[in-house]
Amino acid sequence: MLKYSVKRILGMIPLLFVISLIAFMFVHLIPGDPARLIAGTDATIEEIENIREKYGLNQPLYQQYFDYMANLFQGDLGQSIVTGRPVLDMLVERFGPTLSLTLASMAWALIFGLLIGVISAVKRNKWPDHLSMFLAVSGVSIPSFWLGLMMIQLFSVQLGWFPTGGIGGFETYILPSFTLGAGVAAIIARFTRSSLMDVLKEDYIRTGRSKGLTEFKVINRHAVRNALIPVVTMSGLQFGFLLSGSIITETIFSWPGLGRLLINSITARDYPVIQSEILLFSLEFLLINLLVDLLYGFLNPKIRYEEGS
Amino acid sequence: MKLSRLLTVLSLVLVLVVAGCSSGGDTEEDTSSSKNNDKKTPPSSEEGLTIAVESNFTSLDPHDTNDNQSYSAQSAIYEGLLGFDKDLNIVPVLAKEYSANEDSTEFTFTLKEGITFHDGAPFNAEAVKANLDRLSDPESQLRRASLFELVEKTEVLSEYEVKVTLKEPFGAMPNNFAHPAAGMISPKALEQSNQDLARNPAGTGPFKFVEWKSGDHLTVEKNEEYREEGLPKVDKIEFKPVPESGSRVAMLQTGEADFAFPVAPNQVETLKEEEGVSIETKPSLVVKYFSMNTMKEPFTDPKVRKAMNYAIDKEAYIKVVYDGYATQTKSVIAPNTQHYEEQEVYEYDPEKAKELLAEAGYPDGFETTIWGGTSSLKQKMMSFYKQQLSQVGVTLNVVPMEGGTLGDKIWGVDNPEDAELELYNGGWSPSTADADWGMRPLFSSNSFPPDAYNTAYYKNENVDELLQKGLSTADDKERGEYYAEAQKIIWDESPWVPLAVPDILYGKQDYVEGLTMLSSGVMDLKQAEIVSE
């Protein structure tokens, strides 16, 4: 497993290299002159030129890419054009809040998603199933900006239970993580339901039942574990998405995470920050995929990571 | 893994994450939760004020800043030699007094004595020189270098006297000294790299910097040694960037914020019903307009341009776009801009517009295109023009473009003849509050894109000359006459359809006093206080 992991990690390097090139090209192909946007609405042409020169934006594109890569190999992600700060510092600062919000949201999502999914698979076509699936469809369809604002209205303004936004203590996590987790919970619930329903048709479940195990034991011990593989894949993917920071949820709840940084830097065409965020998100996805693959083996020991398997 | 065990583990994760993360923000937590519980109880002056603002701060180095929001936070920390009062008149701040020579090339400042910077460095002529040398150094590449590019040299005459010599006459120079970008930074702080200075400020202002966590909060505390007796009146101010306008309003409703800027016009009604919260308005310095490319048919003809002015109902525009929170503009600069001169408005008169169009040879109107931004407000504006112009036979194509693209399309053009631009939906706010910066970048023939913002490609030799004359003297009365004349000519020739001056809208708890917004969009924090009954 270790050998497999090392191989996978080494394999990421050329991939990241390609991603960096694509990210660089795309970011520079978006129309818009960062110098003009950053110089402000009533800047003089000299001020705009100054910014171009300071950040090497007047260099030919290949030169800019070359400089960018040369710095990247030394662990230097460059400087933000907007704030002049090292991009690495900014990413580190924003990563913590996004990670903690992601973990909290994923925990919500998994608890609710699995419970709802299992209940509706077991009580198939009875009212708990219909109720659960109604909740799941709502969770997927309700846009997060609406849900977020409604939660603020209800729980902050009317009831005064939680703050409207910002990062701080326990209470600041409830509303944003619920808003962010609701959609994911719905997806997980639907996956769990369909996967579990497939498993429940299997022979070994019938065997379990016929040897007199209680229904709870059958589900709890035998069925869920086998139904989890597609759910884990899906959750891993969702985890990756959340880890890239949610632009909408972070904006509504004034959360100082990566999503807000991304939208701000795109609006300002802050090239170094956008490029580095894309690179970071790709890296996150690659690592999560690896983690998910390793989890398969844990869930089903028959899955091995040797070559040719 | 068993389901029951998995769920237990997940619940533990949730508890751990939330508990683990909460240790980071414990200091903030106390104030926010306590405020939340006893709704609308004024905080004590020790707890201080919480101000919700729209976007992230970019820098605390005033010389290298160009957004009003960062200037607002900086205004707590820094002061300039001169400054603006509530009505945007220029007043001495760190200077006791100042004088200019006749052709406005030499400015002499006498400084107030006995002032120290937050880091202990004394404020004196050497400190001023260090600041102005930095601002006027062409190599410095500072964001606001242009305000001081005309400075040839700064000389220390005595410990508290400085003389600034310009390369050429510039009558509006006092406005540049009063601009928030001209804040005086401690010479000790200036020794840091630019990057460090942006986050470790030291000025002479009423508040000292405490901490800044990007995207979350920026805190300043009372400067105990502030030179004015009894000021500041609160011990602490915390700024919180809250990008979503609905969330800012919610913070006022819950009492989490004591002051919020800006408030969207469509949320005013919600807040009006809220007890203990008031909405205040102030006319801004922004002029909303659409320009017509005077080098392109049919806008080469002044009659057509006037017809466009008669065809738009400005009062309706203000209701539709700003829910009434704006005033009709009666010149090409806003009333609070210096040397503003009111003109006779083009009253809404579609019949007259049709007549003028017929006289100009377009009895059946014509088709044209407007470019502008993509925000819902801007799209609303442009749809409104489309509806209004259709009444006089003009078919308007509305083309909203994302900011970067729009910039490329307009300012990526080197020759005026190559410009595709016909109409441009724009807005302008002169950050120095002076007529020069309100007009020269927009109407001088040296200001065609890409150099500046004359999107009408308007060229009039008289206007060019008057704008130049306005710069060549420091005599306010004389300058006033030149700018009045220039405004009249431009108004008459109508390269724009000037529409409105939007209000600055902000909300505050009733117990907050003395804290206001200047028309320039910068906060005035010095007198802020919490009044408990």
Side-chain angles (χ1 to χ4, degrees), chain B residues 308-325:
Chain B
M308 301 285 274
N309 268 289
Y310 284 116
I312 306 269
D313 182 349
K314 283 94 178 172
E315 275 164 30
Y317 167 89
I318 288 168
K319 278 192 198 120
V320 169
V321 178
Y322 291 104
D323 288 285
Y325 292 101

Side-chain angles (χ1 to χ4, degrees), chain A residues 39 47 81 170 173 252 269, chain B residues 18 21 66 143 146 247 402 437:
Chain A
E47 284 164 340
I81 308 178
F170 173 79
Y173 278 80
I252 292 176
R269 299 290 189 277
Chain B
V18 167
C21 300
N66 53 21
R143 299 254 158 103
S146 67
S247 308
E402 187 273 339
W437 201 238

Side-chain angles (χ1 to χ4, degrees), chain B residues 137-387:
Chain B
D137 176 5
E139 300 298 307
S140 70
Q141 297 184 332
L142 297 166
R143 299 254 158 103
R144 276 305 183 185
S146 67
L147 292 173
F148 291 89
E149 66 188 355
L150 287 181
V151 172
E152 189 186 308
K153 60 177 181 205
T154 305
E155 293 162 278
V156 173
L157 302 180
S158 71
E159 192 176 357
Y160 293 106
E161 227 178 350
V162 206
K163 186 168 96 179
V164 182
T165 311
L166 304 186
K167 291 170 192 154
E168 53 188 80
F170 186 59
M173 199 62 199
N175 290 68
N176 290 13
F177 280 111
H179 193 282
M184 290 291 136
I185 303 173
S186 155
K188 226 199 271 179
L190 279 177
E191 286 166 15
Q192 310 172 83
S193 70
N194 284 358
Q195 200 181 310
D196 291 338
L197 179 59
R199 299 185 78 87
N200 298 293
T204 58
F207 294 92
K208 286 200 249 191
F209 172 71
V210 179
E211 66 167 351
W212 174 16
K213 275 201 82 186
S214 300
D216 192 49
H217 67 269
L218 190 158
T219 313
V220 294
E221 65 178 8
K222 182 178 186 172
N223 172 12
E224 298 287 351
E225 275 112 61
Y226 192 62
R227 64 176 183 281
E228 284 182 49
E229 196 70 33
L231 286 180
K233 293 172 188 163
V234 288
D235 289 3
K236 197 177 104 182
I237 295 180
E238 186 168 283
F239 299 91
K240 283 182 178 257
V242 180
E244 163 59 36
S245 64
S247 308
R248 279 197 301 280
V249 167
M251 285 180 79
L252 279 177
Q253 291 177 304
T254 61
E256 282 167 81
D258 304 305
F259 189 93
F261 170 76
V263 170
N266 58 12
Q267 272 155 343
V268 171
E269 287 308 313
T270 315
L271 279 179
K272 272 189 178 158
E273 288 162 20
E274 188 72 28
E275 210 179 309
V277 175
S278 40
I279 294 286
E280 300 195 353
T281 64
K282 189 162 226 178
S284 67
L285 287 181
V286 179
V287 175
K288 292 287 178 187
Y289 63 89
F290 69 80
S291 60
M292 296 166 271
N293 185 343
T294 57
M295 286 193 174
K296 251 192 146 91
E297 296 283 350
F299 304 109
T300 43
D301 188 337
K303 278 185 184 150
V304 172
R305 303 198 298 256
K306 277 197 176 144
M308 301 285 274
N309 268 289
Y310 284 116
I312 306 269
D313 182 349
K314 283 94 178 172
E315 275 164 30
Y317 167 89
I318 288 168
K319 278 192 198 120
V320 169
V321 178
Y322 291 104
D323 288 285
Y325 292 101
T327 39
Q328 184 175 345
T329 170
K330 294 174 180 168
S331 178
V332 291
I333 53 179
N336 279 336
T337 312
Q338 276 148 32
H339 310 303
Y340 163 83
E341 194 70 32
E342 193 174 310
Q343 310 294 319
E344 196 181 327
V345 294
Y346 295 98
E347 296 290 352
Y348 176 54
D349 191 344
E351 287 312 312
K352 190 155 186 181
K354 279 189 213 161
E355 274 168 37
L356 282 166
L357 284 177
E359 278 175 38
Y362 299 95
D364 303 319
F366 53 84
E367 188 173 339
T368 184
T369 301
I370 189 161
W371 293 353
T374 49
S375 74
S376 52
L377 198 69
K378 283 175 181 149
Q379 301 213 36
K380 213 189 231 182
M381 292 175 187
M382 294 192 283
S383 310
F384 177 78
Y385 312 147
K386 185 185 172 87
Q387 183 274 333

Side-chain angles (χ1 to χ4, degrees), chain B residues 12-32:
Chain B
L12 264 173
V13 167
L14 184 63
V15 170
L16 281 178
V17 167
V18 167
C21 300
S22 42
S23 58
D26 44 6
T27 46
E28 266 36 79
E29 179 194 348
D30 297 338
T31 49
S32 63

